[in-house]
Amino acid sequence: MKHYQYDRGDGVVLFLDGKHTSAFCHFLMGADTFDDARSAFFVAYMYEFGLGITQSYEKAYPYYISCADDDLGEAAYNLAVFHFFGLGTEQSYA
């Protein structure tokens, strides 16, 4: 059985072209429909900084959680920052 691998390349091109809302929709589909960890990271990042969507640390946090175990060091680092400053979650230094 051949498994479809989600291609996030179009989302990256849209993002780099400054079409953040379209890029967000593309990454959201990759994260939620295809369980693509890198797309989940982009969704979290875009929520964190309000790129193409209303800024929301609370919505960014679960997307960072969902991709942190997939060896995405950026996600783990951003989760540490969220916990340190209490962004979207309770403040914790542990």
Side-chain angles (χ1 to χ4, degrees), residues 3 6 9 24 28 30 32 42 56 66 74-75 82 84-85 90:
H3 294 293
Y6 180 71
F24 178 83
L28 187 64
D32 291 348
F42 282 120
S56 174
S66 74
E74 304 101 331
F82 271 44
F84 186 83
F85 291 107
E90 291 185 32

Side-chain angles (χ1 to χ4, degrees), residues 54-72:
T54 303
Q55 183 181 27
S56 174
Y57 297 123
E58 291 77 15
K59 290 182 180 178
Y61 183 79
Y63 281 99
Y64 279 138
I65 289 284
S66 74
C67 63
D69 289 337
D70 289 327
D71 198 29
L72 296 174

Side-chain angles (χ1 to χ4, degrees), residues 61 79 81-93:
Y61 183 79
L79 278 173
V81 170
F82 271 44
H83 281 280
F84 186 83
F85 291 107
L87 305 173
T89 187
E90 291 185 32
Q91 188 174 27
S92 169
Y93 300 119

Side-chain angles (χ1 to χ4, degrees), residues 32-47:
D32 291 348
T33 304
F34 296 101
D35 199 26
D36 181 62
R38 194 48 139 169
S39 291
F41 175 80
F42 282 120
V43 169
Y45 182 86
M46 294 177 83
Y47 268 130

